[in-house]
């Protein structure tokens, strides 16, 4: 077992299970690029370790993830990283749509697709907030175990943007629930998420870690290559149901919205900040 305590992402081997933990609890695990690449490093390590059969993705603290970092002191949108999700030029030094498309193709859509295709089963253990970009992290996992205090939302229509970059909404929620979630931007509960088929099981908060780990352990008794093929078979079926091409077309609309915002308001987020989004979402409830 190895533990790496202070980093933005912790990696721990527990027998056949790798536990990857987002570790910015003071910022509700808001995802900056430093965390994105640390997650990618951790997943790569788990894939390369032949002893690891299943990967668990968890969030330290009270919340799984508040989404993309749009306002913590560790926000790093202007920094270059060693790109690996797509072969496109670096966003740094570019402007406008060129800059945004390069960056989001790499760190959001590209990374999420890369992680969805990890050949080992991934289980998200979700507690507290799982908002916007946080949904993307849970959705790329194969199974989701959520605690009874978990809640979810994709409020980015408030920014004039039709949903987060990894546009899996119609496939993981069904079209009607997807529209309700996007149109209202409101929180939905763990029970609603279960009803809509988005999550596998609900457990009490203090049992989340153990329940997620036990499920991972049960799965780890299966043959590794069989698991990889079963995962690929289901992912291919989702792609045949239009997930991949649908997401590509939504990504175009997403960037139309960013560009429209940049043309007509203060910035590509429609002048919204983490704080204004939080306040607006509170008022809406
Ligand atoms: Zn975006």
């Amino acid at each position: 077992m190895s533990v790496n305590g202070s980093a933005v992402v912790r990696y721990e081997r527990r027998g056949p299970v790798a536990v990857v933990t987002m570790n910015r609890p003071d910022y509700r695990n808001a995802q900056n690029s430093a965390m994105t690449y640390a997650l990618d490093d951790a997943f790569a390590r788990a894939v390369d370790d032949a002893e690891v059969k299943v990967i668990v993705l968890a969030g330290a603290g009270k919340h799984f993830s508040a989404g993309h970092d749009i306002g913590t002191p560790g926000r790093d949108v202007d920094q270059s990283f060693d790109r690996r999700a797509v072969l496109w030029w670096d966003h740094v030094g570019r402007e406008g749509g060129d800059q945004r498309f390069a960056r989001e193709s790499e760190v959001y859509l590209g990374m999420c697709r890369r992680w969805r295709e990890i050949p080992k089963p991934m289980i998200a253990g979700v507690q507290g907030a799982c908002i916007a970009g946080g949904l993307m992290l849970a959705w790329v996992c194969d199974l989701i175990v959520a605690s009874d205090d978990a809640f979810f939302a994709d409020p980015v229509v408030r920014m004039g943007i039709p949903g987060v970059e990894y546009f899996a909404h119609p496939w993981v929620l069904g079209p009607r629930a997807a529209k309700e979630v996007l149109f209202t931007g409101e929180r939905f509960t763990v029970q609603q998420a279960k009803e809509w088929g988005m999550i596998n099981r609900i457990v009490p908060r203090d049992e989340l870690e153990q329940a997620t780990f036990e499920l991972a352990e049960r799965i780890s008794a299966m043959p590794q290559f069989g698991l990889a093929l079963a995962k690929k078979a289901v992912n291919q079926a989702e792609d045949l149901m239009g997930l991949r091409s649908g997401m590509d077309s939504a990504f175009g609309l997403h960037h139309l919205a960013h560009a429209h915002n940049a043309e007509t308001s203060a910035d590509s987020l429609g002048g919204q900040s983490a704080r204004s989004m939080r306040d607006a979402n509170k008022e809406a409830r």
Side-chain angles (χ1 to χ4, degrees):
M1 183 175 88
S2 72
V3 180
N4 171 3
S6 61
V8 289
V9 168
R10 293 199 309 257
Y11 184 91
E12 185 188 346
R13 251 286 298 284
R14 289 193 216 165
V17 181
V19 181
V20 175
T21 307
M22 297 179 279
N23 192 31
R24 299 185 78 203
D26 294 345
Y27 303 108
R28 303 199 302 166
N29 296 317
Q31 184 192 346
N32 56 9
S33 289
M35 179 187 278
T36 301
Y37 287 93
L39 282 172
D40 195 63
D41 288 342
F43 294 148
R45 183 172 168 186
V47 170
D48 283 336
D49 185 342
E51 305 286 307
V52 170
K53 303 284 286 291
V54 180
I55 302 165
V56 166
L57 175 62
K62 281 167 70 177
H63 301 283
F64 180 76
S65 172
H68 297 148
D69 188 342
I70 59 170
T72 83
R75 195 178 187 211
D76 53 11
V77 287
D78 297 329
Q79 285 179 43
S80 281
F81 287 83
D82 180 19
R83 302 182 309 287
R84 54 190 94 153
V86 293
L87 190 50
W88 198 270
W89 49 72
D90 193 4
H91 69 284
V92 174
R94 300 276 166 172
E95 291 179 65
D98 182 358
Q99 186 265 345
R100 287 189 296 269
F101 190 84
R103 178 169 175 274
E104 297 201 344
S105 296
E106 164 71 18
V107 296
Y108 297 152
L109 185 58
M111 275 295 179
C112 282
R113 280 181 164 166
R114 175 173 158 88
W115 296 339
R116 174 179 176 252
E117 286 165 17
I118 285 170
K120 298 182 178 181
M122 305 239 294
I123 308 177
V126 177
Q127 82 282 17
C130 179
I131 308 296
L135 286 174
M136 294 170 44
L137 293 168
W139 287 348
V140 298
C141 293
D142 304 296
L143 306 176
I144 302 175
V145 179
S147 62
D148 47 16
D149 70 341
F151 58 93
F152 310 88
D154 183 358
V156 306
V157 176
R158 205 176 291 288
M159 299 173 167
I161 299 170
V164 288
E165 291 82 4
Y166 184 82
F167 191 78
H169 314 56
W171 291 270
V172 297
L173 297 166
R176 227 166 276 287
K179 286 175 180 170
E180 183 177 332
V181 162
L182 289 166
F183 292 174
T184 67
E186 287 169 9
R187 286 182 178 184
F188 54 102
T189 63
V190 73
Q191 285 81 16
Q192 279 173 311
K194 179 93 165 54
E195 228 170 81
W196 291 334
M198 192 191 102
I199 62 173
N200 293 85
R201 52 193 71 173
I202 304 172
V203 298
R205 174 68 187 89
D206 58 0
E207 292 170 24
L208 177 67
E209 190 181 340
Q210 190 57 23
T212 308
F213 183 73
E214 274 173 18
L215 181 58
E217 238 187 350
R218 288 225 303 282
I219 292 170
S220 71
M222 300 292 266
Q224 192 168 67
F225 190 46
L227 288 169
L229 297 180
K231 173 165 178 169
K232 203 167 178 58
V234 177
N235 281 3
Q236 285 173 171
E238 279 185 300
D239 287 340
L240 289 169
M241 291 186 255
L243 182 136
R244 190 177 178 87
S245 53
M247 225 179 249
D248 278 329
S249 68
F251 194 64
L253 300 177
H254 182 97
H255 279 270
L256 169 63
H258 275 314
H260 176 74
N261 282 343
E263 270 188 88
T264 60
S265 75
D267 56 39
S268 67
L269 301 181
Q272 297 277 6
S273 64
R275 180 175 298 272
S276 72
M277 288 292 283
R278 199 165 48 231
D279 292 348
N281 291 328
K282 266 186 200 139
E283 268 166 37
R285 254 178 290 119

